[in-house]
Amino acid sequence: MEKVKLLGTWSSPFVQRVVWALKLKGIEYEIFYEDFANKSPELLKYNPIHKKVPVLLHNGVAICESLVIIEYIDETWKDTSPFLPHETLDKANARFWAKFGDEQALPAFYDIYKKQGKEQEEAKEKTLANLKLIEQQLNEKNFFNGENIGFLDLAFGWLADYSRPLEVISDVKVLDEESFPKLCAWREKVLAIPAIKESWPDQETLIAKFRKIKESKGQ
Amino acid sequence: MEKVKLLGTWSSPFVQRVVWALKLKGIEYEIFYEDFANKSPELLKYNPIHKKVPVLLHNGVAICESLVIIEYIDETWKDTSPFLPHETLDKANARFWAKFGDEQALPAFYDIYKKQGKEQEEAKEKTLANLKLIEQQLNEKNFFNGENIGFLDLAFGWLADYSRPLEVISDVKVLDEESFPKLCAWREKVLAIPAIKESWPDQETLIAKFRKIKESKGQ
């Protein structure tokens, strides 16, 4: 019997994408919630480099970094719901855009929530440009890889479940239906998937949590 | 007949790792050198998002981001010199450390060359800590993946061929034999591989080039 544990927090989009991956594959797992003010000995032991969540423990062996974990899950449990596309070129494309998401699109989006005034305006402009590029990748497909949810949908998962709460708090709307009809339709499709719907963090609680973080940092 | 082109510069460690990958696999390719003051229409066309090298063109289709390119090369030409380890856990480990290298170890090392005074001292401390972690990964193996050069050796390739020039320019030594005997031995093994030896940028020219960049930025 395989033992799968996840060290996480309920509010991290990086943990959330791993939760989705596990649920989509139908993998039984146990989640342990970390308190960042008081990190668990397990977190310090299994991710000594970054001391961050998510950490996946598979039969006691640790895998860190959310996108690395998702590739690991996909390669280990390959019989159900493949995440990475089959063709090498499509795979490269998915990895390129996942990197773009984490290094460019997500930080800019998060800055809208974190910053004020001119800096917030700049983050908004950057985000609109990024979303335009992401929307083009989606094109006429239901999901980034075609008919089924895959690696890039998980990588862009924060756009589905965190964009609205962050927009509410910052009172800046970027992902609107008129400008990004395909991305908005994609969001609805992602969030309607049962495995995702049941693990989608409650939006009001998420808003309250991120509002509190913002206030505590005096942003 | 497959057509492989590489858009690059002779002095970028990110291009260099792709050159090594192509040569190790024995893939025929043509390299086109970019002038950053005057980027080619090809670069702007094939990497419109980042406008950066390296870009691999395989039968006219572009792949960007050096680590993504290396995985693509490994998956496309799989019969010779596999780069990624076979086991999923080892694969995840290689990807984790490659990410650590690009996001943490390389920027800190580069800061020793770029910065002065207290900031340089901090970059040196960080680098020593990073190198210690990397040395532990190497352990008693010849290469990061064992007996043969692989993905992580390519990802850490900058440590083999750029560390010495950058140390010379900054007059700060970090990768010394006493502190990092395994990494130093690894460097010699990497640089002795014929495919790499023949494409190793000339160290004096590299020093002159990076010294000029530093001076032009008033660092």
Side-chain angles (χ1 to χ4, degrees):
Chain A
M1 172 75 188
E2 293 203 296
K3 209 167 171 181
V4 180
K5 281 189 191 185
L6 180 64
L7 310 184
T9 63
W10 69 271
S11 61
S12 155
F14 302 105
V15 173
Q16 197 57 25
R17 56 166 69 142
V18 175
V19 167
W20 290 7
L22 290 166
K23 287 195 181 258
L24 286 166
K25 291 272 188 186
I27 300 162
E28 294 282 329
Y29 70 98
E30 245 186 310
I31 185 161
F32 295 84
Y33 291 107
E34 287 292 328
D35 169 13
F36 278 131
N38 186 17
K39 294 181 181 181
S40 76
E42 272 200 313
L43 180 61
L44 302 179
K45 177 180 170 187
Y46 289 117
N47 191 358
I49 311 298
H50 303 302
K51 303 173 184 72
K52 280 182 187 168
V53 294
V55 176
L56 187 82
L57 293 168
H58 185 202
N59 297 326
V61 181
I63 302 106
C64 303
E65 294 286 357
S66 62
L67 293 179
V68 173
I69 294 173
I70 292 176
E71 289 220 39
Y72 175 82
I73 290 173
D74 200 32
E75 288 165 6
T76 304
W77 290 273
K78 31 180 155 202
D79 294 339
T80 46
S81 313
F83 297 146
L84 261 302
H86 182 68
E87 298 295 328
T88 46
L89 192 65
D90 296 335
K91 248 181 233 172
N93 215 29
R95 289 182 184 131
F96 173 88
W97 285 103
K99 194 172 158 70
F100 170 85
D102 277 12
E103 293 178 9
Q104 189 164 321
L106 178 51
F109 202 109
Y110 203 69
D111 272 352
I112 299 177
Y113 148 82
K114 241 172 63 182
K115 310 277 184 180
Q116 306 280 4
K118 196 168 169 281
E119 284 182 321
Q120 188 184 56
E121 194 52 43
E122 282 168 8
K124 185 185 167 184
E125 289 311 309
K126 276 188 202 167
T127 295
L128 291 173
N130 292 336
L131 292 181
K132 210 173 146 192
L133 294 170
I134 296 171
E135 169 116 344
Q136 282 165 4
Q137 288 308 304
L138 194 56
N139 207 345
E140 299 302 326
K141 297 171 285 187
N142 276 324
F143 296 98
F144 284 96
N145 189 34
E147 284 314 299
N148 296 303
I149 188 164
F151 182 71
L152 200 46
D153 303 286
L154 298 176
F156 283 140
W158 56 272
L159 261 179
D161 54 2
Y162 288 78
S163 56
R164 220 171 269 169
L166 296 184
E167 285 179 340
V168 168
I169 299 169
S170 60
D171 202 20
V172 176
K173 182 91 184 155
V174 276
L175 190 55
D176 67 88
E177 292 208 15
E178 205 175 316
S179 315
F180 304 105
K182 293 168 191 173
L183 264 179
C184 288
W186 164 84
R187 169 160 68 181
E188 297 316 312
K189 278 173 215 147
V190 168
L191 297 178
I193 293 173
I196 287 176
K197 203 173 181 177
E198 71 184 35
S199 60
W200 192 28
D202 174 67
Q203 300 284 292
E204 288 311 311
T205 321
L206 209 52
I207 289 171
K209 160 104 187 181
F210 278 95
R211 207 188 285 280
K212 210 172 144 191
I213 294 174
K214 192 174 162 76
E215 283 166 5
S216 75
K217 294 194 177 163
Q219 287 160 349
Chain B
M1 171 78 189
E2 293 202 296
K3 209 166 172 182
V4 180
K5 283 189 190 185
L6 180 63
L7 310 185
T9 63
W10 69 271
S11 61
S12 154
F14 302 106
V15 173
Q16 198 57 26
R17 56 166 69 141
V18 175
V19 167
W20 291 7
L22 289 167
K23 287 194 179 261
L24 286 165
K25 290 272 188 186
I27 300 162
E28 294 281 331
Y29 70 97
E30 245 186 309
I31 186 161
F32 294 84
Y33 292 107
E34 287 293 328
D35 168 13
F36 278 132
N38 186 17
K39 295 182 180 180
S40 76
E42 272 199 314
L43 180 61
L44 303 179
K45 177 180 169 187
Y46 289 117
N47 191 357
I49 310 301
H50 304 302
K51 304 173 185 71
K52 280 182 187 169
V53 292
V55 176
L56 188 81
L57 293 169
H58 185 204
N59 296 328
V61 181
I63 303 106
C64 303
E65 292 287 353
S66 62
L67 294 178
V68 174
I69 293 173
I70 293 176
E71 289 219 41
Y72 174 82
I73 290 174
D74 200 32
E75 287 164 8
T76 304
W77 290 273
K78 31 182 157 204
D79 295 338
T80 47
S81 312
F83 297 146
L84 261 302
H86 182 70
E87 298 294 328
T88 46
L89 193 64
D90 297 334
K91 247 181 238 175
N93 215 28
R95 289 181 183 132
F96 173 88
W97 286 102
K99 192 173 160 70
F100 170 85
D102 277 12
E103 292 178 8
Q104 191 163 321
L106 178 51
F109 202 109
Y110 203 70
D111 272 352
I112 299 177
Y113 147 84
K114 240 172 61 183
K115 310 274 185 183
Q116 307 280 4
K118 196 166 171 281
E119 283 182 323
Q120 189 184 54
E121 194 52 43
E122 283 169 8
K124 185 185 167 181
E125 288 312 309
K126 274 188 203 166
T127 295
L128 291 173
N130 291 337
L131 292 180
K132 210 172 147 188
L133 293 170
I134 296 172
E135 168 114 347
Q136 283 166 4
Q137 288 308 305
L138 193 57
N139 208 344
E140 300 301 325
K141 296 170 287 187
N142 277 324
F143 296 99
F144 284 96
N145 189 32
E147 284 316 297
N148 296 304
I149 188 164
F151 181 71
L152 201 46
D153 303 284
L154 297 176
F156 283 141
W158 57 273
L159 261 179
D161 56 359
Y162 288 79
S163 57
R164 223 171 267 170
L166 296 184
E167 284 178 341
V168 168
I169 299 169
S170 60
D171 202 21
V172 176
K173 181 90 185 157
V174 278
L175 191 54
D176 68 90
E177 291 208 13
E178 206 173 316
S179 316
F180 305 105
K182 293 168 191 171
L183 263 180
C184 288
W186 165 83
R187 168 159 68 179
E188 298 315 312
K189 278 173 215 147
V190 168
L191 297 178
I193 292 173
I196 286 174
K197 204 173 180 178
E198 70 184 36
S199 59
W200 193 29
D202 174 67
Q203 300 284 290
E204 288 311 312
T205 322
L206 209 52
I207 289 170
K209 160 105 186 180
F210 277 95
R211 209 189 284 279
K212 211 171 141 190
I213 295 175
K214 192 174 162 77
E215 282 166 5
S216 75
K217 292 193 178 163
Q219 287 161 349

